[in-house]
Amino acid sequence: MDFILENKWLFLIIAESIFWVSILTFLLLRYWFGLKRLSIAFFILFIVNDLWIAIMGLYDYMKTGKFSSYQTVIVVFIVYALTYGKSDFKRLDSFIQRKVASWKGQPVPDVEGVKKLYGKAHAQHERKQFFKHLLVYVIAHIVFVLLFGLSDQISSPQDLTDVLSRWFSEKQPIFPSNSTTVNNISRIWSLILIIDGVISLSYTFFPRQEKARDTSSLDRK
């Protein structure tokens, strides 16, 4: 693992290349060659690759004891996957499916990409996605505590502000559980959750507006 961390940027570039290759191979096998079962193997590779990227960021943090630009890039990747990644993948999937059918001279399937939402509808969708993420976060942490026990730092009476400060500043986080590895995962996940929440809830106060040219074209219709 030390060799990987010494060449972490190279391995991150390789992982990002695997990400795109696995996605495109999955779509081509599925729609061009009709090998749906084989395509699943590349979809699994895509998921495993994402987990590998997260693990590299975790181990880099455990080794250095502080957040760096490298970990920030990985956090951005993960946040993208949790927010816009799913809808972008659906758009790419429907695009490839239609293009392949057109190239092969087959009837173009009646599939639509993800409908772009605006205003209150978009804000509601973003809140729903964030609350799903929050629910998974809470359930996972309940499981962590059940498996490894509640941290002694929480169960003993003390200043909560001091505990939170030590949680972010110390190399080895002290809660929510008695497992250091789980606590490191929790700390990075919490940061991702906060960023996801800020992005998702911002649309409630600053709704996405439809472009003026789109609105004018609708008026002409």
Side-chain angles (χ1 to χ4, degrees), residues 178-205:
N178 287 316
S179 169
T180 302
T181 301
V182 167
N183 292 346
N184 273 305
I185 294 173
S186 172
R187 179 156 57 181
I188 294 178
W189 193 353
S190 298
L191 177 61
I192 295 172
L193 181 71
I194 291 171
I195 296 174
D196 185 20
V198 170
I199 294 173
S200 299
L201 299 179
S202 67
Y203 292 108
T204 300
F205 304 98

Side-chain angles (χ1 to χ4, degrees), residues 76-94:
V76 170
F77 284 163
I78 296 174
V79 169
Y80 167 77
L82 293 173
T83 53
Y84 301 104
K86 184 178 179 181
S87 59
D88 286 345
F89 176 77
K90 286 183 177 179
R91 290 190 185 95
L92 180 61
D93 180 86
S94 62

Side-chain angles (χ1 to χ4, degrees), residues 143-152 176-179 183:
V143 173
F144 291 158
V145 171
L146 291 176
L147 291 176
F148 302 100
L150 185 65
S151 171
D152 297 333
S177 73
N178 287 316
S179 169
N183 292 346

Side-chain angles (χ1 to χ4, degrees), residues 54-129:
I55 290 172
M56 285 197 298
L58 172 62
Y59 271 94
D60 183 66
Y61 177 80
M62 292 176 64
K63 183 177 181 179
T64 61
K66 60 182 180 181
F67 287 103
S68 64
S69 57
Y70 177 77
Q71 295 156 23
T72 301
V73 170
I74 290 179
V75 168
V76 170
F77 284 163
I78 296 174
V79 169
Y80 167 77
L82 293 173
T83 53
Y84 301 104
K86 184 178 179 181
S87 59
D88 286 345
F89 176 77
K90 286 183 177 179
R91 290 190 185 95
L92 180 61
D93 180 86
S94 62
F95 173 78
I96 294 295
Q97 190 174 353
R98 292 194 303 268
K99 279 295 181 183
V100 168
S102 176
W103 291 337
K104 297 177 74 172
Q106 299 174 348
V108 177
D110 186 17
V111 293
E112 296 182 358
V114 178
K115 183 179 179 181
K116 199 165 187 178
L117 302 175
Y118 299 95
K120 292 183 179 179
H122 176 250
Q124 184 179 15
H125 174 75
E126 291 293 333
R127 288 196 301 270
K128 184 178 179 180
Q129 293 298 109

Side-chain angles (χ1 to χ4, degrees), residues 117-141:
L117 302 175
Y118 299 95
K120 292 183 179 179
H122 176 250
Q124 184 179 15
H125 174 75
E126 291 293 333
R127 288 196 301 270
K128 184 178 179 180
Q129 293 298 109
F130 169 69
F131 290 137
K132 285 181 180 179
H133 183 187
L134 179 62
L135 179 61
V136 172
Y137 175 89
V138 171
I139 293 174
H141 279 71

Side-chain angles (χ1 to χ4, degrees), residues 37-51:
R37 290 186 178 180
L38 181 59
S39 69
I40 294 176
F42 287 89
F43 186 75
I44 294 174
L45 175 62
F46 157 72
I47 296 175
V48 171
N49 186 67
D50 276 359
L51 292 175

